[in-house]
């Protein structure tokens, strides 16, 4: 099992991870998949003393994550670091004409992982960014997002990280029942979508 007794698990990323967490409470996990994972794991292993932390920030792109990595990851000394980042790097290209190139995304993401391995003996967990289009224009986003998913998969192999294949899981679920059940706007998970993410994470990590 990747999560050992008395370890600290950190979830970090953008709004999907953030999911309304209380900034005035460092222990608050928000209302999304980090809360569901912590609840399920603790119910299954109530005496293990595992601590779960959420440092998701709504709107973050990979440069934002890199800028706060020291304070929001390394100083916390987690034993497991779970990262989901990338959809805003794609989204801002289409709504703000403010793209992040795939090369820059890979450079900054690699630097995050390099710093982590230099500073911590932590297990890395990379969650793919995902998109399940609910509007016709969102199909265009795949051309920008798919290379980023490829980057995450390559980096997982390069750094020995566990890979949570969120994009495939979401796509499969959407194909069976329609996308809005899982992500009302194509990006932000519904309660069912967060439950699916939590299940995929636990199946991969715990």
């Amino acid at each position: 099992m990747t999560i050992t007794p008395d370890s600290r698990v950190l979830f970090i990323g953008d709004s999907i991870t953030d999911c309304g967490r209380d900034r005035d409470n460092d222990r608050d996990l928000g209302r999304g998949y980090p809360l569901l994972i912590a609840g399920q794991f603790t119910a299954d292993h109530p005496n293990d003393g595992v601590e779960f932390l959420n440092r998701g920030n709504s709107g973050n792109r990979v440069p934002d994550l890199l800028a706060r990595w020291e304070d929001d990851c390394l100083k916390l000394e987690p034993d497991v670091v779970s990262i989901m980042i990338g959809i805003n790097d794609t989204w801002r290209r289409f709504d703000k004409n403010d793209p992040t190139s795939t090369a820059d995304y890979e450079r900054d993401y690699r630097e995050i992982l390099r710093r982590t391995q230099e500073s911590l003996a932590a297990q890395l967990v990379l969650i793919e960014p995902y998109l399940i289009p609910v509007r016709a224009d969102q199909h265009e986003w795949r051309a920008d997002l798919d290379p980023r998913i490829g980057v995450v998969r390559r980096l997982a192999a390069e750094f020995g990280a566990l890979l949570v294949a969120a994009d495939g899981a979401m796509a499969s679920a959407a194909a069976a029942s329609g996308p809005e059940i899982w992500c009302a706007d194509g990006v932000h998970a519904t309660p069912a979508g967060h439950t699916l993410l939590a299940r995929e994470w636990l199946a991969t990590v715990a």
Side-chain angles (χ1 to χ4, degrees), residues 107-197:
R107 179 199 65 209
D108 288 351
Y109 208 142
R110 178 176 281 106
E111 179 64 10
I112 284 169
L113 301 181
R114 185 192 67 79
R115 290 186 188 180
T116 305
Q117 288 198 333
E118 281 189 354
S119 301
L120 304 172
Q123 172 64 59
L124 294 166
V125 181
L126 308 188
I127 307 175
E128 294 173 352
Y130 65 82
L131 171 72
I132 49 175
V134 298
R135 304 191 313 266
D137 66 290
Q138 287 180 320
H139 290 283
E140 300 176 44
W141 298 17
R142 295 290 335 185
D144 188 272
L145 183 64
D146 287 349
R148 299 188 202 283
I149 294 171
V151 165
V152 174
R153 293 172 180 174
R154 290 196 302 274
L155 290 175
E158 179 180 337
F159 285 87
L162 298 173
L163 177 70
V164 180
D167 188 61
M170 284 290 195
S172 179
S177 58
E180 292 88 352
I181 292 174
W182 310 100
C183 298
D185 64 357
V187 172
H188 295 99
T190 62
H194 278 289
T195 301
L196 179 61
L197 289 172

